[in-house]
Amino acid sequence: MEKRYEEAMDNLARLATQIYEQLGGGEIPEMQVTTRSKSNIEFDQRAGVWKLGDSKTKRSAKKLSGARMILRSLYMMDFIKEMIEANKSSTLREMYYISEGWEKAKFNDQKESDRLAEDMEIITDCLREDFKLRPEEDGARVIGDITIEERTRKGDLRRINCRDDVGDSGYTIPYNVEEDKVNFTDIGVDFMIAIETGGMFDRLVENGFDETANALLVHLKGQPARSTRRFMKRLNEEEGLPLVVFTDGDPWSFRIFASISFGAINSAHLSEHLATPTAEYVGVTASDILNYDLPTDKLKKTDRTALEQELEDPRFNTRFWRDEIETMLEINKKAEQQALAKYGLDYVTDVYLPEKLGEIGVL
Amino acid sequence: MGCNVDSIAEKLAEKQKEISIGEFFERNKHILGFDTLTKSLVTAVKEGVDNSLDACEEADILPDITVKIDEIAYQEYRVVIEDNGPGIVKRKIPDVFGKLLYGSRFHDIRQSRGQQGIGVSAVVMYGQLSTGRPTIVRSKIAEKEYAIEMEITMDTKRNEAEIVSEEVVLWEGKEHGTKFETTIKGLLRSGEHSVFEYLKNTAIVNPHARITFHCDGDTTVFKRATDQLPPPTVAVKPHIEGIELGTFVKMAKESDRRKLGSFLVNEFSRISYRTAREIASKADVDDDTNPSSLTLDECKRILKATSKVKIMAPETDCLSPIRSMLIKKGLKNVLKGYRPEFYSPPTTREPRVYSGNPFQVEVGLVYGGDLPSEGSVRVLRIANRVPLLYKKGGCATTTAIKNIDWRIYGLDQRGGSGMPSGPAIIMIHVASTRVPFTSEAKEAIADIPEVVDEIERGLRECARHLRTHLNREKRRKKISRKFRIVREILPMIAEKSADIVDRDVPPLETVMTKIMGVVYVEKSFDWENGVCRGILDINNYTPKEKELVIYIEKPYPETELLKSSIEPAFDGEYLKWDIESLSSSKGESIEFEFDGGLEKEDVGGLEVYVEGVKETSLIGAETLPDDWGVELAEIEKE
Ligand SMILES: Nc1ncnc2c1ncn2[C@@H]1O[C@H](COP(=O)(O)OP(=O)(O)OP(=O)(O)O)[C@@H](O)[C@H]1O
Ligand SMILES: [Mg+2]
């Protein structure tokens, strides 16, 4: 068995032993889990990312809800153990359906089981992937001149050039992008550009931006999956590729950038593993809306509240973000990436991106 | 100038003449409860039903009353009310129905629904004014073979009845009773202020009455909840405490007695010659003084002195409280559809006095079940067994409710004042020889401090029961949650963790004890061919060692105990086992067998009692009831 799974098994067994011994010693079983909330994240100076703080939540079998959580954790452990032993994996959704048969330990909805899976990562210091659990969404796509060595299901290695060996839709990032599965053999690009929407990704592909700018195009598909973030993080760290992020200009897109660069609250225990603190934001910014005179929509009430919350969020507490958020609130407008088409289909690749990337110093 | 004033006075004098009572009320219909169309209909029914109930009770007859309402023209209703009371003698019928201020109760000091002699004649008058139709009365007394039927109208100027027609009729199947039929302008509504609501609440507080309601083709019967008539009330003399000075002066002037002492003793209740002398001496008035020659100042001093002398509370046989058991029966009978979770034991306060009038307060409270939990609690306001539907805002019952911070008793109340809200119904009954109504329409009780205070005390008593109930419920829920942990979840945790670490399932008793903290008794019965096998499992899930005594009632005193795994310390009408020491986390099991041709149902509800544990740390059995000790002592004496 591979080492990472062996470690996961050990850690899970340690937790089960702890509960078993509490019971045997006549103690009411309990588990400690680090609290995941906006009030319990701290900035890690060394890693440059936001991580979970020290505050813990206790789950004790003294309370019905606590007892149930402990029982569910044990069932989940047992399930993971069986998967590892049988060399199988399952999606989070499949696990949720399997839990239907866990009697008193079953979940009320998938959110509960997804959350518990994340808790298990925190408690055991392992990754969900170490538990053979993966999200159901298929990975994001990339296009550009890098060569990857991927281990196939059959176990042999295959080399793929992400520009020449793929079709128009690019290379799909698998859910496991750790070294046992994916390695980078040849890097022909100068930087990565992560794009929020499929429409804009396809525009850059059609305009051949990967070749003209010597860039790796990454499609985020909204809030990026863990594997997408991990993939970019590895390229950034191991190959020294700069990362820039290009999204719509609205509060929700700002959060996409935050989760890539600073770390997301829900996965703050993995920030060091997933976040790329040196990532730069290209746009669309509030200033872009003004400078490029883009077509806009009015902010909705929920947009304004989201922006106001961001002003309170410690992760956005930098000069750049405060200015941009305040400006957006002031002009009361938001814009989509594709609004740049106002000046023609080539405008984004011929004018906008060269200008903006130039400012950042990437081009 | 002067002559001018004179002439104005003269002019006014020409206009000043006697106003007939009838004319006065004709112009002031609201005083009698005929101010809106909806209310007029309710008032008409109420006056009729109140009289029927009074008459039946006075004649010691279980009331059987029928109310019928039909719309015969737009906003015009025929109202028929029939009872099985003693009937009314022929010569009195015109005055009862056609003369205001004519009645049998005005001068009596005792509790009755009717007080003023206005009620039913006002209905006749209103019917006549609003539709121009006469009222038809039929009445039969037991002594006569036939009934009398009369059509009556009213001469409001002279306050006299006019008989339109009169005939002798046979009343098939009726031994005695009265029925009258009036046509009035009105409006039939449903809801809080409806005839239906009035009859429903009447049924609650008169559980001895059977009331049938026919309304536009629908029939509702409020059945009796008891065959017990309220004990008859006895008329009493006024009580001197708090009597008004004017009344006292008038009584003294009109008295036939020649000495103050005998005046006080004979015309007031609860005053002995000794008390009378004490009052006279404290008032510094000779007790031989002729009452009619008392000065105003002497009268004042006498009344002042009464407060310094201890006078017994008034007799209570002039009052007819409903009493706890029947309040509960009445409430249950009518409210059972809501399946309330809790009936607070109703409170009957001791009688008290306001302005010389004895009065008594009763309170009931019903909580939970399907009662609506949104909005204010519902209040049934009752005066002398008559529901009050109107003028809630200006009623002593409302004042008393609002005086209480209900939050400490477990009901919601914004800011701790005002009406509480939640799934509850509060019943308040004020019984008195003279209920202090705010007007002749008898719609609300005045805010007399003594009355408000008594209502408040009654409410608090019931509210305390509610709090106890809610706390017990809360505890029960908490314990049942713990039970689920210990029974369902913990064993699964033990098994699964043992499975994962590949070891034996650990023993759970200590942990269960820590979570539960109670003594748990589980009883199971097994029945076969008249023989009953029972098992009592007693588990000490508390941290301490316990010394317990277990009791179980036998299904019948003669039931024989065939076997018992532990020798009982007593075997008689019940069984008793001593468990001298049960360590923490340990259990004991008692198996036994009964003989004696038992039916399966006989063993179903057998109660187990335990001595040696607090009520709060015992589940599955009861602590020994207080009255059990009495029974025990008797048996052991033999
Ligand atoms: N159904 C009845 N059967 C027998 N007697 C009746 C009946 N209805 C009325 N009476 C007699 O007629 C009297 C007058 O009734 P009425 O309703 O006018 O006044 P009341 O009931 O004495 O006082 P209130 O004005 O408070 O109702 C009663 O006191 C009672 O003696
Ligand atoms: Mg009456």
Side-chain angles (χ1 to χ4, degrees), chain B residues 47 51 55 83 96 102 104-105 114-120 442:
Chain B
E47 295 299 344
N51 283 353
D83 64 46
V96 164
Y102 185 92
S104 53
R105 304 177 223 286
Q115 287 187 346
Q116 311 156 129
I118 296 177
V120 79
K442 304 196 277 190

Side-chain angles (χ1 to χ4, degrees), chain A residues 89-145:
Chain A
S89 73
S90 87
T91 66
L92 289 166
R93 186 150 196 82
E94 281 168 335
M95 178 173 73
Y96 169 65
Y97 282 129
I98 286 167
S99 79
E100 286 280 305
W102 294 354
E103 292 164 61
K104 303 277 180 264
K106 79 179 191 195
F107 299 96
N108 297 315
D109 54 41
Q110 198 193 328
K111 245 198 222 131
E112 277 184 0
S113 65
D114 287 0
R115 240 189 121 71
L116 184 61
E118 282 164 359
D119 283 345
M120 301 290 263
E121 294 183 301
I122 300 175
I123 296 170
T124 58
D125 216 4
C126 290
L127 284 178
R128 204 157 65 182
E129 288 72 16
D130 303 335
F131 302 149
K132 301 263 192 175
L133 287 172
R134 60 191 147 84
E136 46 280 1
E137 79 233 32
D138 43 339
R141 306 175 283 156
V142 299
I143 279 190
D145 182 17

Side-chain angles (χ1 to χ4, degrees), chain A residues 146-151 157-160 162 171 174 176-187 231 234-235 238-239:
Chain A
I146 61 169
T147 306
I148 281 170
E149 203 170 60
E150 188 181 320
R151 189 174 295 277
L157 294 172
R158 162 153 335 148
R159 258 166 205 261
I160 303 162
C162 297
Y171 168 75
N176 178 6
V177 289
E178 297 309 315
E179 282 160 36
D180 58 319
K181 174 84 178 167
V182 173
N183 281 297
F184 310 112
T185 53
D186 196 23
I187 305 294
F231 186 83
R234 279 191 64 197
L235 278 172
E238 293 168 24
E239 309 297 334

